[in-house]
């Protein structure tokens, strides 16, 4: 084998090992992101993912791949780890999402690290009604003296410091809200919007029913990921706010469904 061919084989092997490591750490990967990281074509990355799929390491998903359960856990990450992931994207998404909040609005901020960035971007003197089940978001919004804050009760889930259960759902029952800002753990065009925790999915479904506008906020690492519990179909949301790494065909399909797709840096 020629020296150049040997080096190409080594580069391919090294890249695939790194992709496997990313799958084990993140649970999923995206073609466009990998192509950018490794400075190769999307066709090359798709061949890599097909190689891993044939060996049972990964399962191809829309725009990327998911780690097979037999090769590592795809359980929900701890809150501390979530807070360290994609921080720049979440901050930009949070600021952009906050710009869609108008004085006099009533909003729901679902639990999550991205929705927490929205809370942090709300002006101190904004006069709105904000509903949340997230302890961290509640603490963040106490600085806003003109904001009416409603905290949903229930049982505290320490894994993400948010409240769920019968009491939280009862509190949601009679609320009519202008805008819901919904964080997600997984977003697949065919499988829908999903999360790891059944009581969270149940409460999220009630939030969707209560809101005039359902605004999903997520970084692009969640696209193509499927979790156990479904919240809603993509067609049920009003608007998606994400970063510019959203796959173009994913965005186009959502727009065909009537979903407004907004990115931190505009994409076609």
């Amino acid at each position: 084998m020629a020296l150049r061919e040997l080096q190409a084989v080594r580069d391919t092997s090294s890249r695939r090992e790194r992709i496997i490591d990313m799958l084990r750490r993140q649970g999923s990967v995206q073609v466009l992101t990998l192509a950018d990281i490794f400075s190769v074509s999307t066709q090359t990355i798709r061949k890599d993912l097909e190689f891993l799929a044939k060996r049972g390491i990964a399962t191809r998903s829309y725009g990327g791949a998911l780690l097979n359960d037999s090769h590592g856990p795809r359980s929900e990450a701890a809150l501390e780890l979530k807070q360290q992931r994609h921080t720049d994207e979440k901050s930009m998404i949070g600021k952009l999402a906050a710009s869609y909040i108008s004085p006099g609005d009533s909003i729901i901020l679902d639990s999550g690290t991205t929705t927490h960035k929205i809370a942090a971007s709300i002006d101190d003197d904004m006069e709105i009604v904000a509903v949340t089940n997230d302890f961290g978001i509640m603490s963040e919004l106490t600085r806003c003296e003109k904001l009416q804050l409603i905290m949903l009760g229930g049982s505290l889930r320490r894994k993400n410091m948010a409240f769920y259960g019968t009491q939280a759902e009862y509190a949601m029952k009679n609320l009519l809200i202008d805008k819901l800002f919904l964080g997600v753990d997984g977003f697949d065009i065919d499988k829908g919007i999903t999360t790891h925790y059944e009581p969270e999915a149940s409460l999220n479904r009630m939030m969707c029913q209560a809101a005039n506008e359902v605004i999903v906020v997520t970084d692009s690492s969640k696209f193509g990921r499927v979790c156990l519990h479904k919240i809603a179909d993509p067609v049920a949301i009003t608007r998606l706010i994400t970063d510019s790494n959203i796959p173009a065909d994913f965005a186009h399909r959502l727009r065909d469904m009537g979903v407004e797709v907004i990115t931190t840096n505009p994409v076609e």
Side-chain angles (χ1 to χ4, degrees), residues 52-66:
L52 299 182
K54 288 178 181 178
R55 280 150 184 79
I57 296 171
T59 299
R60 288 303 309 273
S61 65
Y62 189 86
L66 303 171

Side-chain angles (χ1 to χ4, degrees), residues 244-261:
S244 56
N245 289 323
I246 181 173
D249 52 346
F250 197 106
H252 290 158
R253 287 188 66 184
L254 285 175
R255 287 173 176 139
D256 287 343
M257 295 178 189
V259 178
E260 184 181 8
V261 179

Side-chain angles (χ1 to χ4, degrees), residues 8-266:
V9 170
R10 288 175 176 170
D11 289 346
T12 298
S13 178
S14 175
R15 185 177 62 250
R16 288 172 178 174
E17 286 297 322
R18 288 179 63 189
I19 292 172
I20 292 170
D21 181 62
M22 292 173 68
L23 279 164
R24 286 174 175 159
R25 286 187 287 108
Q26 301 173 188
S28 66
V29 291
Q30 294 293 307
V31 170
L32 290 179
T33 302
L34 292 176
D36 183 57
I37 290 172
F38 295 109
S39 299
V40 296
S41 69
T42 56
Q43 183 179 6
T44 296
I45 294 298
R46 289 190 179 96
K47 288 180 180 178
D48 290 340
L49 298 183
E50 290 294 341
F51 176 88
L52 299 182
K54 288 178 181 178
R55 280 150 184 79
I57 296 171
T59 299
R60 288 303 309 273
S61 65
Y62 189 86
L66 303 171
L67 179 68
N68 279 346
D69 289 336
S70 59
H71 286 266
R74 281 177 36 207
S75 59
E76 181 180 8
L79 178 60
E80 293 80 6
L81 183 57
K82 286 184 176 181
Q83 290 171 336
Q84 296 169 15
R85 290 176 174 171
H86 309 287
T87 53
D88 291 341
E89 291 92 339
K90 290 174 182 178
S91 294
M92 290 190 290
I93 292 166
K95 289 178 182 178
L96 180 57
S99 71
Y100 284 84
I101 302 173
S102 302
D105 275 349
S106 57
I107 67 169
I108 301 174
L109 292 176
D110 172 40
S111 64
T113 52
T114 305
T115 45
H116 189 279
K117 295 295 186 182
I118 300 175
S121 300
I122 293 175
D123 291 340
D124 290 351
D125 60 350
M126 180 161 282
E127 296 186 41
I128 60 173
V129 177
V131 179
T132 190
N133 65 317
D134 187 292
F135 183 83
I137 290 174
M138 179 197 71
S139 299
E140 174 65 42
L141 292 178
T142 56
R143 63 180 168 78
C144 303
E145 295 184 0
K146 296 181 180 180
L147 180 148
Q148 182 182 345
L149 179 60
I150 298 173
M151 183 68 185
L152 300 178
S155 299
L156 177 65
R157 184 178 186 236
R158 286 178 172 80
K159 188 158 191 174
N160 65 342
M161 294 303 291
F163 293 86
Y164 302 99
T166 304
Q167 288 176 301
E169 293 182 8
Y170 183 81
M172 273 300 310
K173 204 169 193 179
N174 295 314
L175 294 179
L176 298 174
I177 300 296
D178 294 320
K179 298 166 184 172
L180 162 63
F181 293 89
L182 180 66
V184 300
D185 290 315
F187 194 159
D188 183 88
I189 285 286
D190 299 310
K191 302 295 185 181
I193 301 162
T194 56
T195 189
H196 296 281
Y197 186 53
E198 193 280 330
E200 181 174 14
S202 179
L203 182 61
N204 286 165
R205 285 192 290 268
M206 292 189 70
M207 290 176 173
C208 290
Q209 291 171 0
N212 288 332
E213 296 182 31
V214 177
I215 304 170
V216 170
V217 290
T218 182
D219 65 84
S220 56
S221 71
K222 307 295 177 61
F223 298 133
R225 184 180 297 180
V226 179
C227 303
L228 185 59
H229 301 286
K230 184 174 179 178
I231 299 170
D233 290 314
V235 72
I237 72 174
T238 309
R239 182 179 297 119
L240 168 67
I241 301 178
T242 187
D243 59 71
S244 56
N245 289 323
I246 181 173
D249 52 346
F250 197 106
H252 290 158
R253 287 188 66 184
L254 285 175
R255 287 173 176 139
D256 287 343
M257 295 178 189
V259 178
E260 184 181 8
V261 179
I262 308 295
T263 62
T264 51
N265 293 303

